[in-house]
Amino acid sequence: MDISYRTWKVFWRNFVVFRKTWLTNIMFNFLEPLLYLAAMGYGMGHYIPAIQGMSYLQFLAPGLIASSAMWATASECTYDSFVRMKFQKTYHAIVATPVSLDEVVVGEMLFGTFKSVLYGTVILLVILFLGLVRSPAALLVPLVLVLCGFVFAELGMIWTGLVPKIDTFSYFFTLIITPMFLFAGVFFPLDALPLIVQRLAWLIPLYHVVELVRSLVLGQLSPGLLVHVAWLVVFIAIFFYPPLYLLRRRLRG
């Protein structure tokens, strides 16, 4: 594996492009969570009793921070990365320089992580403005979003290394990302579900991100949160190398 400071040059290349298109890039990932917040939090929330001692709006808002970060990174490291690799031949151009292919892949994952932090933090600022942040511990949320970004950057780049064509990403979002979105505790507590489902939720990365973000936003701090942090760190360590291997095999094979 050949990784050095040049990884950040790949990140900077993507960031320079993003600066030119940031408005169109940010609108979808910014507006959709706000629509969920308005329709489900303010609308449907009026018909839902208090959950764990809080209004449904307060329960929902932190989950949307986590899910927004997930969607932003997953989109960046699948469709956007595939376009750069397959159609624009950006990867081929970069590796013609001293930058290695491994550095390109890690740079892509770093930029996907940046998207996670950016979009999640924007939603955090919105719910802060709405008075839904209860604790100064919410200042630690961007650190959680870094872990979230790495997790879904790795998953996205693994899929990018596997798919034969861009249409195949629909399977990734339908079979992996959407079930996480629905069953990771974003919209309802999982303790109402069967025990087997609650245990399976521990296998869902977004579940751990949601638990951390919600606890920090609401000030529900406990040593148990370190278990969620450890789970995410172990996940990142395990799945760091598969994207490098798959993209290396794909572009050099």
Side-chain angles (χ1 to χ4, degrees):
M1 184 176 64
D2 180 19
I3 296 177
S4 71
Y5 72 94
R6 291 187 295 265
T7 292
W8 291 102
K9 294 184 179 294
V10 179
F11 171 90
W12 183 250
R13 178 264 170 206
N14 290 346
F15 182 75
V16 169
V17 174
F18 176 74
R19 286 193 306 179
K20 298 178 180 179
T21 61
W22 70 271
L23 185 59
T24 54
N25 271 272
I26 203 172
M27 291 311 293
F28 171 77
N29 288 285
F30 174 67
L31 288 177
E32 186 177 37
L34 292 185
L35 292 175
Y36 277 109
L37 197 64
M40 303 189 70
Y42 285 104
M44 191 174 69
H46 286 292
Y47 302 95
I48 298 177
I51 297 177
Q52 300 174 349
M54 70 189 84
S55 69
Y56 184 65
L57 179 62
Q58 283 187 314
F59 177 86
L60 174 65
L64 291 177
I65 295 174
S67 63
S68 177
M70 175 190 71
W71 283 106
T73 302
S75 176
E76 175 64 34
C77 290
T78 51
Y79 286 109
D80 292 358
S81 292
F82 189 86
V83 167
R84 287 191 287 269
M85 175 186 68
K86 181 72 173 181
F87 302 113
Q88 297 177 346
K89 303 296 183 183
T90 303
Y91 289 14
H92 298 76
I94 294 176
V95 298
T97 72
V99 179
S100 70
L101 182 56
D102 287 347
E103 289 168 335
V104 172
V105 176
V106 175
E108 290 279 284
M109 292 193 292
L110 287 173
F111 189 70
T113 301
F114 162 75
K115 290 288 229 22
S116 167
V117 175
L118 175 64
Y119 290 113
T121 301
V122 168
I123 303 302
L124 174 62
L125 293 174
V126 170
I127 71 169
L128 174 66
F129 177 77
L130 295 175
L132 300 174
V133 175
R134 290 183 175 180
S135 169
L139 292 171
L140 298 176
V141 166
L143 297 180
V144 177
L145 298 179
V146 170
L147 297 178
C148 175
F150 263 108
V151 165
F152 289 101
E154 289 174 351
L155 291 177
M157 293 304 292
I158 287 172
W159 203 265
T160 298
L162 291 171
V163 296
K165 54 185 179 179
I166 197 168
D167 295 339
T168 319
F169 283 121
S170 60
Y171 292 99
F172 175 71
F173 285 94
T174 301
L175 300 178
I176 298 177
I177 298 299
T178 299
M180 288 191 196
F181 180 52
L182 296 175
F183 296 103
V186 174
F187 297 104
F188 52 84
L190 298 183
D191 53 16
L193 298 177
L195 183 59
I196 183 64
V197 178
Q198 296 180 43
R199 290 180 175 175
L200 287 174
W202 269 81
L203 302 177
I204 300 177
L206 184 63
Y207 166 77
H208 300 278
V209 178
V210 170
E211 288 295 305
L212 286 167
V213 172
R214 183 170 285 133
S215 297
L216 292 173
V217 169
L218 300 178
Q220 300 172 345
L221 307 180
S222 71
L225 295 180
L226 295 177
V227 176
H228 297 295
V229 173
W231 193 100
L232 292 169
V233 170
V234 170
F235 186 99
I236 291 168
I238 292 173
F239 287 91
F240 181 78
Y241 291 100
L244 304 182
Y245 168 76
L246 291 170
L247 270 298
R248 197 184 304 137
R249 186 183 68 173
R250 177 169 191 147
L251 294 179
R252 293 178 180 173

